[in-house]
Amino acid sequence: MNLLADLPPGPLAAERVDALLTRPGLRVERIVSTGQASPPGFWYDQAEHELVVLLHGRAELTLDTPDGTVTHCLRAGDWLELPAHCRHRVEATDTPTVWLALFWPT
């Protein structure tokens, strides 16, 4: 399998999420974004830890930290660890943006 294969030729109505591996205590997903962003005022606040690696494209991710919000501009090869309950939102993505996301429990 190739993580950059079978990419959509244009924008999709929603992100495409493919589960690549599911094991006790670990989930690995490939997420393909085609211009999606979080709705205004929406924040992810998940119970799992997450590591995201940007494989292709560009994305802007904002984290809500104790010191205020911080926006990260990610490009291919960049990664970010999101601890459980770290509020975050996707500000923008390219068409296409390919993410590799790993999730594990607290």
Side-chain angles (χ1 to χ4, degrees), residues 86-103:
C86 172
R87 287 175 15 115
H88 61 284
R89 54 181 283 109
V90 178
E91 301 294 344
T93 59
D94 277 348
T95 299
T97 294
V98 181
W99 312 76
L100 184 66
L102 292 79
F103 301 88

Side-chain angles (χ1 to χ4, degrees), residues 19-44:
L20 303 178
L21 179 72
T22 302
R23 298 287 186 273
L26 177 67
R27 186 173 80 253
V28 180
E29 297 176 346
R30 179 185 81 156
I31 303 168
V32 179
S33 304
T34 57
Q36 284 83 10
S38 299
F42 174 83
W43 291 87
Y44 290 97

Side-chain angles (χ1 to χ4, degrees), residues 41-102:
F42 174 83
W43 291 87
Y44 290 97
D45 184 353
Q46 56 206 39
E48 300 170 294
H49 299 296
E50 180 180 4
L51 176 76
V52 293
V53 181
L54 200 74
L55 301 175
H56 183 272
R58 183 192 62 78
E60 293 179 18
L61 204 66
T62 298
L63 280 57
D64 186 16
T65 73
D67 297 324
T69 59
V70 177
T71 300
H72 297 271
C73 296
L74 304 176
R75 296 185 178 169
D78 291 341
W79 62 274
L80 198 57
E81 182 180 356
L82 304 168
H85 298 292
C86 172
R87 287 175 15 115
H88 61 284
R89 54 181 283 109
V90 178
E91 301 294 344
T93 59
D94 277 348
T95 299
T97 294
V98 181
W99 312 76
L100 184 66
L102 292 79

